């Protein structure tokens, strides 16, 4: 059985591929786990300067697989399905490398929430978008009412969530759900072009810029502040003196440098 999530890394660009085309890449527990593993591998791979998230076949992601969550108890729904999805989507949002979603087909429900984890979204012209959950008595559960509002605005998300309206790529561009439209079959190539442009810039500067923008959106702002502060202090002579004094079991002689 092939992996439901593939990761390929070449020339500083990582490609995460949802590989369950027979289900339009609807997410089940194995795929959620696969996305978590891919995110960890990308951050551990020091050469990755940009990442792309896409789907195999005709769809980007049809959302959460009803067969995977439809029979869960209320406790399992909240404590396992929703929580695990949130944890993985948050992890993707906070990847060190900028993430581009190459949306090759429909992105519905959890698929739109997944696309929202990316820094830039390129959609093929035939793709459609929506939050259809309320039509079956469910609500968006993987940040559809939270991250999507922050990134796309409350008016757009309210309309999609409350009416169940499915919009075209052109309308999605107008609503700010995506950043670019590509011809059918050209989404991944267009995303690659963007990824190469990003990869050619300063990787540390890009990572810090992304982190600061995420913090401005409310994405783990506390951690961003402490990461930047820790990095700054690590350059000081005071830290070197503090570590040396600890090793040598003596009082530190700080100079404020």
């Amino acid at each position: 059985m092939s992996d439901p999530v593939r990761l390929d890394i070449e020339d500083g660009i990582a490609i995460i591929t949802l590989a369950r085309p027979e289900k339009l890449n609807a997410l089940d527990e194995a795929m959620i786990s696969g996305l978590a593993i891919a995110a960890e591998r990308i951050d551990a791979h020091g050469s990755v300067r940009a990442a792309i998230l896409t789907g195999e076949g005709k769809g980007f992601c049809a959302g959460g697989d009803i067969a995977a969550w439809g029979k869960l108890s209320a406790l399992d729904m909240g404590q396992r399905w929703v929580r695990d999805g949130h944890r993985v989507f948050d992890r993707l949002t906070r990847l060190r490398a900028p993430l581009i979603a190459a949306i090759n087909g429909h992105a519905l429900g959890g698929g739109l929430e997944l696309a929202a984890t990316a820094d830039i979204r390129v959609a093929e012209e035939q793709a459609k978008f929506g939050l259809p959950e309320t039509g079956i008595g469910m609500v968006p559960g993987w940040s559809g009412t939270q991250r999507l509002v922050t990134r796309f605005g409350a008016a757009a998300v309210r309309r999609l969530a409350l009416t169940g309206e499915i919009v075209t790529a052109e309308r999605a561009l107008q609503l700010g759900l995506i950043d670019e439209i590509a011809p059918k079959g050209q989404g991944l190539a267009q995303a690659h072009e963007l990824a190469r442009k990003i990869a050619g810039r300063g990787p540390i500067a890009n990572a810090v810029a992304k982190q600061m923008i995420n913090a401005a959106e409310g994405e783990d702002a506390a951690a961003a502040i402490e990461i930047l502060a820790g990095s700054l202090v690590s350059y000081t002579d005071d830290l070197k003196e503090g570590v040396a004094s600890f090793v040598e079991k003596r009082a530190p002689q700080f100079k404020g440098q």
Side-chain angles (χ1 to χ4, degrees), residues 68-88:
W69 62 261
K71 295 182 180 180
L72 293 177
S73 68
L75 185 60
D76 281 342
M77 172 64 77
Q79 295 298 316
R80 195 174 83 219
W81 182 256
V82 175
R83 177 175 288 183
D84 287 352
H86 258 276
R87 185 180 296 118
V88 174

Side-chain angles (χ1 to χ4, degrees), residues 16-17 80 99 114 123 146 165 198:
I16 306 170
T17 304
R80 195 174 83 219
L99 178 63
L114 179 60
Q146 304 301 308
E165 180 180 356
I198 290 170

